[in-house]
Amino acid sequence: NGRIDALRKDVDERFDSFQREVNGRIEAFQRSMETRLDLIQERMLAQSRWLIGSIAVLGTVISILLAIGQFVR
């Protein structure tokens, strides 16, 4: 009976150790993913700003050229 209790205690300790290790790895992975997602979000925001700015500039240039074309006639 004492051997079974000792075996149970050993198995429980190993399982707890394994569970702590897995939880640590999962937490590290989550931190890594959060960092990556934050970086992706920042880059997407910068690209969106550049895209909107480029479209606005292109629209302005086209409007100016159309206005010049109206006066040339």
Side-chain angles (χ1 to χ4, degrees), residues 2-70:
R3 291 177 61 194
I4 293 174
D5 290 339
L7 181 63
R8 266 195 199 140
K9 183 178 178 183
D10 185 47
V11 169
D12 285 343
E13 288 174 0
R14 287 183 183 190
F15 180 74
D16 290 341
S17 172
F18 176 74
Q19 191 173 13
R20 283 191 300 273
E21 182 181 340
V22 169
N23 286 341
R25 288 182 182 184
I26 289 173
E27 289 173 2
F29 177 74
Q30 287 175 338
R31 284 190 301 271
S32 172
M33 286 304 297
E34 287 174 2
T35 303
R36 289 180 184 178
L37 290 175
D38 288 343
L39 183 59
I40 290 171
Q41 181 183 7
E42 289 175 18
R43 289 181 180 178
M44 287 177 63
L45 183 62
Q47 288 176 352
S48 298
R49 288 178 178 164
W50 274 100
L51 177 65
I52 291 170
S54 299
I55 291 172
V57 168
L58 187 60
T60 303
V61 169
I62 290 173
S63 297
I64 291 171
L65 291 175
L66 288 172
I68 292 171
Q70 291 291 324

